[in-house]
Every structure is written in C-alpha cells, then in structure tokens.
Amino acid sequence: YRTVPAVPEPSAIERLARGVDAVAFTSGSTAKNFYRIVEESGAMSRSTLDAITIASIGPVTTATLGRIGRTVDVEAAESTMESLAEALAEYFAAKG
C-alpha cells in the first residue's frame, strides 16, 4: 500500500477549529499528516492544540508522536481499534 496525505475539506478544518476533546491516531503517518494540516491551516492555537488529549493505537505510533514533539495521554493495550476505544473511554471515565 502507499500513504497519501489527506486534503481535508474546508468544513472539516472549521469543525476542528471549534475544538475537540481528543484525537486518536492509528499510525505515525496519520499523526504527521494531522499536525501538518493543523499547522498549515492555522486552525488551532498552540495552547488549544496542547490541551487536546492524544491517543495512540500502539507503541510505534506513540514513538512517532514523541519524535514530532507530542506527548501521548492514552495508549491502547493492544494495537486494535477496539482497544483504542476502550482506552479512551477508561481515560475519560477516570477524569470524571
């Protein structure tokens, strides 16, 4: 397969600019592409971006996020979507 950077619709950037609680990454390339899009679009301030919960599907993605200067708040126990969803649900349940 090949990885092709996303080109988001303007409406998607507008929704992102309104704010999100978390962003879940399923690969290193999605993480790099997300931060490229956010930076190029200016959709979020650095402080807003820093306040978002960052979730990773596993250690390889977590390592990529670390290399681009992002701290992972939630990492899935297994590299599956189900495990990632469970980890996020547990994280937010513990925060109250």
Side-chain angles (χ1 to χ4, degrees), residues 3-4 6 10 13-14 21-25 27-29 48 50 52-53 62 70 75 81 84 87-88 95:
T3 303
V4 179
I13 298 294
E14 290 169 14
D21 294 323
V23 178
F25 295 104
S27 70
S29 61
T48 300
D50 288 345
I52 296 172
T53 297
T62 297
R70 307 309 306 173
E75 184 179 279
M81 292 300 291
L84 181 57
L88 270 165
K95 286 187 82 168

Side-chain angles (χ1 to χ4, degrees), residues 5-66:
V7 179
E9 294 291 324
S11 61
I13 298 294
E14 290 169 14
R15 285 191 306 273
L16 180 62
R18 283 185 241 136
V20 297
D21 294 323
V23 178
F25 295 104
T26 56
S27 70
S29 61
T30 61
K32 289 186 266 188
N33 196 42
F34 174 82
Y35 286 106
R36 179 190 59 79
I37 289 167
V38 169
E39 189 174 291
E40 288 176 0
S41 69
M44 303 177 109
S45 69
R46 183 67 182 193
S47 61
T48 300
L49 194 57
D50 288 345
I52 296 172
T53 297
I54 303 299
S56 168
I57 199 163
V60 173
T61 302
T62 297
T64 300
L65 284 156

Side-chain angles (χ1 to χ4, degrees), residues 70-93:
R70 307 309 306 173
T71 300
V72 171
D73 302 295
V74 179
E75 184 179 279
E78 297 176 22
S79 294
T80 65
M81 292 300 291
E82 292 81 10
S83 183
L84 181 57
E86 288 173 12
L88 270 165
E90 290 171 8
Y91 176 83
F92 283 109

